[in-house]
Amino acid sequence: MTFRPKFITFDCHGTMIFFDMAGAARDHYGAQLSGAAMDTFIADFSAYRLDEVLGAWKPYAEVVHNALERTCKRNNVAFDPAVAEDIYNRVPTWGPHADVPAGLAKIGNKIPLVALTNSMNAQIPHNIAKLGAPIAHTFTAESAGAYKPQMQAFEYMFDQLGCGPEDVLHVSSSFRYDLMTAHDLGIRNKVWVNRGHEPANPYYGYTEIKDVSGLAAVVGL
């Protein structure tokens, strides 16, 4: 029997929104770094952003600033706070992956869609408005007082929705931010959108789709 959840919950940046931190880094550092050095810089920037969200909540501008400063230090590149500010200010301008609006439209009027995002309250409405489909609820790290992958972010969402792990289908392109924690919290129904961010990890139990256009079939629509 196809599982019909009470809610379909989504990671936002990276899964629905084209989260172009790599492009922003290339814009600023491509003239100084090229080839493998630029790829290493981008990978380090990603790793440090994850590390920065594992502690006490702080504004996402600080996450970006600190992660970029640490990345520059590791790669022997001069750090300019104005670059961090520019990258942070780009986040609300980014729109969805091409497959997202039509994919969400297939299900949005049948099952409530929920965004659980590592974002600031003032930023995320600009991203959500570009999705082209109704999002019933949006919960941010700022409101939860914690970033994913911390359990507190998911628990805040459950409390606000008045539901439990058994009631949702969680959709993400990231194991490290979402699907590992979802597994640990007992969310049995998970979808991995394989956008090439991370390798497959079958231990965590999920349905794989190549993009959001495949989500309707997962819930029998």
Side-chain angles (χ1 to χ4, degrees), residues 96-111:
H97 290 280
D99 56 274
V100 168
L104 294 181
K106 295 178 183 178
I107 53 178
N109 62 344
K110 300 177 178 67
I111 302 172

Side-chain angles (χ1 to χ4, degrees), residues 10-30:
F10 291 85
D11 169 57
C12 190
H13 294 108
T15 301
M16 295 195 291
I17 297 295
F18 179 53
F19 193 55
D20 195 21
M21 285 288 183
R26 289 186 189 278
D27 286 348
H28 283 287
Y29 300 102

Side-chain angles (χ1 to χ4, degrees), residues 122-136:
Q123 283 187 314
I124 194 60
H126 301 281
N127 300 118
I128 295 294
K130 296 178 176 70
L131 294 177
I135 303 298

